[in-house]
Amino acid sequence: MGTTGHRPAAQVPAEADERVRQGRSAIKGILSWLRLTFTSGLTGAAVAALVVGVILERVPVFLSGGGVLLLFVLIGFVAGRLSPGPAEPPVTRTALARIEDLRATSGESADVPVEFRLTVAPEPEDGRSAYRVNVDQSVNLVDIPAYRPRGIAVVEYRPDEPWDVRIVTRPTPEWSRRAEAAEIDSAPEFTLVEKPGLSEGSWCVLVLVTFLAGAALVMLLFRGELFTSGGEAGSSSKQPSVTTSASVSVSRTFTTSTTVPGHSSSLLVLGRMRETVTELAERAGTSDVTAITIQERRMEIRGDSGRPPGETLHVQMLPYELFPALVREARTSLGVRSPKSWRIDVTPDSSTGPRVRVTVTGDEGTAHLDADATARVLERRPVGEEERG
C-alpha cells in the first residue's frame, strides 16, 4: 500500500470538515489560555489585597481580596460536586503506519517506554494525506522485537487531533494481514504534526507570571501608602534621617527634619514638597513655623510657639508647586555653569509676607535669587555680586 494516488472527490468535503475541526480546537485552546490567565492573575491580586488590607488596616481592601478567594473556593466546590454528564468518546480511525525509527528510553519493568517516529497513512476515505508524528508509548518487553525500523504497524489516531496516535499492540486478524502485505513510503519531514499550545512547564510558568503580575498591580495601586507606612514604622530604629528636638520653658521650640530615601528621589518631583512638609507639620503638631529649609533630598522646619503670628508662616500657604521652576531659573540664569547643590530658605516677613530665597552653589561660587509668597522673583544676585556682597 503506497502513499500516493488520486484522491476521490468525496475527500474534499472531508478535508473541509477537518479544517473546521482544527479551527474549533484552536479556538478552544485560546479560550483555555485566556481563562487560565485571568484566573491566576485575579488570584494573585486577591492574595495581595489581603496582605495590603492587613498592613494598611483597610477593611474594604481586605474584604475584597477575601471575597474573591472565597468565591473561587465556592466555585471549585460546586464544580466538584456536580456530576459530569456522560462524556462522548473521541472518534478514532484505524490506519497503517511505517516505523521510521524507535528508541527505548528506559526499562526496569515488563513495560518499556519507547519513542516511535512514524509515517501514518490514513485510509483514502478518511480524506487525509500521509503525515509524520512522534509517539511515546509503553511496549511490553516481549513485544519489542515485533517493532523494527521500516516495519509496518497498526495504529489508531483521532482525525480532529492527528498528533494523538496509539500503536495497536493486538490488532484484528484482518489488520494484521494488511500490515504484513502493505508497503508505505516515508512522508516528508515537513508533514510532521505536533500537539499545539504550551507544554506543561510553559503552563506552570504562565500561571506563576500572571499570579505575580496580579499581585504587583495591587501593590502598585497602594505603593504610596505602603512605602509611607513602612517608613514611619521603621523610622525610630532604622532611619536616623528623621530627627525631632523640643525644649519646653515658657514657649516651645522645635526642629523637625526628614530625608527622602533613595538616590534617585528628589524633592523637586511634583507634589513631593507639599506632601513632605505636611508630614513634618503633623509630627511637630503645628502648621505655624518660623523657617523652612529645602534641599535636594532633605527638608527641615523650625518653630517657636512664643513668636507672634506676624513672625511665623503657615506651611500650607506656600506655592510649593512653583518652587522647582525657581530652582531651575537659579541654576541657569545666575552664572553658575556647573551647579552642585541648591537650597531653598523660606522665612516670614511681617511687611511683605513670606520670603523665599533660592541659593545655588557650584565651581564658580554661590548665587541666589529672592522671591515672594507667589514665587515672583524680586531680586537676583549672580555669582560676582554674591561674592562682593
Side-chain angles (χ1 to χ4, degrees):
M1 176 177 141
T3 60
T4 60
H6 296 286
R7 294 184 303 168
Q11 292 186 19
V12 177
E15 291 183 355
D17 293 341
E18 181 182 347
R19 286 194 293 268
V20 171
R21 289 192 297 267
Q22 290 178 352
R24 291 176 179 174
S25 178
I27 294 174
K28 184 178 179 181
I30 293 175
L31 292 178
S32 300
W33 178 82
L34 291 176
R35 182 170 61 250
L36 181 62
T37 301
F38 175 78
T39 304
S40 56
L42 192 59
T43 304
V47 173
L50 284 175
V51 177
V52 171
V54 172
I55 294 176
L56 300 181
E57 298 181 355
R58 299 278 292 273
V59 177
V61 178
F62 178 84
L63 293 179
S64 298
V68 172
L69 292 179
L70 181 60
L71 179 62
F72 281 171
V73 172
L74 290 177
I75 292 175
F77 177 77
V78 173
R81 294 296 298 270
L82 293 177
S83 57
E88 192 173 326
V91 178
T92 60
R93 298 282 189 270
T94 304
L96 298 179
R98 173 189 171 97
I99 302 175
E100 304 292 346
D101 192 12
L102 72 159
R103 182 169 64 91
T105 56
S106 63
E108 296 180 357
S109 61
D111 292 332
V112 179
V114 181
E115 294 180 358
F116 290 92
R117 287 197 302 165
L118 306 175
T119 290
V120 179
E123 294 297 293
E125 59 270 16
D126 293 341
R128 172 182 286 276
S129 303
Y131 64 93
R132 287 211 179 198
V133 67
N134 296 327
V135 178
D136 293 332
Q137 184 170 332
S138 295
V139 179
N140 192 277
L141 192 62
V142 178
D143 297 330
I144 285 184
Y147 303 99
R148 62 190 185 281
R150 295 182 297 278
I152 306 299
V154 181
V155 298
E156 287 185 350
Y157 74 96
R158 294 177 56 179
D160 56 338
E161 296 180 357
W163 56 85
D164 187 1
V165 177
R166 184 182 66 87
I167 296 177
V168 180
T169 56
R170 297 291 183 268
T172 63
E174 178 186 355
W175 280 101
S176 296
R177 289 192 298 270
R178 295 180 61 178
E180 292 175 359
E183 293 183 2
I184 300 177
D185 298 331
S186 298
E189 287 289 347
F190 65 83
T191 62
L192 177 68
V193 296
E194 295 178 330
K195 184 177 181 179
L198 301 176
S199 63
E200 293 184 2
S202 300
W203 281 114
C204 294
V205 173
L206 176 63
V207 170
L208 178 61
V209 170
T210 51
F211 181 90
L212 294 178
L217 178 60
V218 175
M219 300 295 287
L220 287 174
L221 291 177
F222 295 93
R223 64 185 183 279
E225 298 178 58
L226 288 172
F227 296 155
T228 302
S229 171
E232 291 178 354
S235 60
S236 60
S237 60
K238 299 181 181 179
Q239 294 283 350
S241 59
V242 179
T243 58
T244 303
S245 61
S247 61
V248 179
S249 54
V250 179
S251 62
R252 185 177 75 93
T253 61
F254 62 87
T255 299
T256 303
S257 64
T258 185
T259 300
V260 179
H263 296 290
S264 59
S265 302
S266 173
L267 287 171
L268 292 177
V269 175
L270 184 63
R272 185 70 57 81
M273 290 187 186
R274 187 174 297 278
E275 177 183 347
T276 305
V277 78
T278 302
E279 178 185 346
L280 291 179
E282 291 178 355
R283 295 178 185 176
T286 179
S287 297
D288 296 317
V289 300
T290 57
I292 301 176
T293 300
I294 306 172
Q295 295 174 291
E296 183 74 36
R297 289 192 295 272
R298 187 175 185 276
M299 180 180 289
E300 178 184 281
I301 62 174
R302 296 182 295 276
D304 186 351
S305 60
R307 295 282 188 93
E311 297 181 6
T312 61
L313 55 92
H314 195 282
V315 295
Q316 296 294 343
M317 300 302 293
L318 297 173
Y320 298 101
E321 292 75 16
L322 302 178
F323 285 0
L326 290 178
V327 173
R328 286 195 299 271
E329 183 172 352
R331 297 175 67 177
T332 57
S333 64
L334 299 180
V336 182
R337 291 187 296 273
S338 300
K340 294 183 177 179
S341 64
W342 58 269
R343 188 181 74 251
I344 300 176
D345 294 295
V346 186
T347 55
D349 192 319
S350 57
S351 58
T352 61
R355 187 89 169 183
V356 181
R357 168 165 289 189
V358 182
T359 303
V360 180
T361 303
D363 295 334
E364 297 82 1
T366 302
H368 75 258
L369 61 80
D370 294 336
D372 59 14
T374 64
R376 180 171 60 91
V377 177
L378 302 176
E379 182 183 3
R380 292 179 174 84
R381 296 290 294 273
V383 175
E385 296 184 13
E386 180 72 18
E387 292 177 352
R388 289 195 297 271

